[in-house]
Amino acid sequence: MTVVERREIIALVDLLDRLLAGGVVVTGDITLRIADVDLVRIDLNALISSVNEQVPSPWES
């Protein structure tokens, strides 16, 4: 593994750590359309966050 590859991995891990610490919201819409007829529509809403004592899990353990 080269030094550049190592830096990219460390940067990616640091980025994921920061995103999970603050939380990330992902939203999107996908529509499959043929001849101006909507066949499939998918709506995506997701919240990605870490869970700890200050931010408890919504599910009981």
Side-chain angles (χ1 to χ4, degrees):
M1 184 177 288
T2 66
V3 174
V4 173
E5 290 173 344
R6 245 185 235 163
R7 285 184 184 172
E8 289 175 1
I9 291 173
I10 291 171
L12 181 60
V13 169
D14 187 40
L15 175 66
L16 287 174
D17 183 47
R18 287 183 182 200
L19 289 175
L20 289 176
V24 178
V25 176
V26 178
T27 61
D29 297 321
I30 299 173
T31 303
L32 177 60
R33 177 185 291 184
I34 297 177
D36 290 332
V37 176
D38 293 344
L39 299 176
V40 177
R41 180 175 176 167
I42 300 172
D43 295 329
L44 172 68
N45 296 313
L47 171 64
I48 303 171
S49 178
S50 61
V51 177
N52 59 28
E53 294 84 22
Q54 295 173 344
V55 182
S57 171
W59 299 280
E60 297 294 327
S61 54

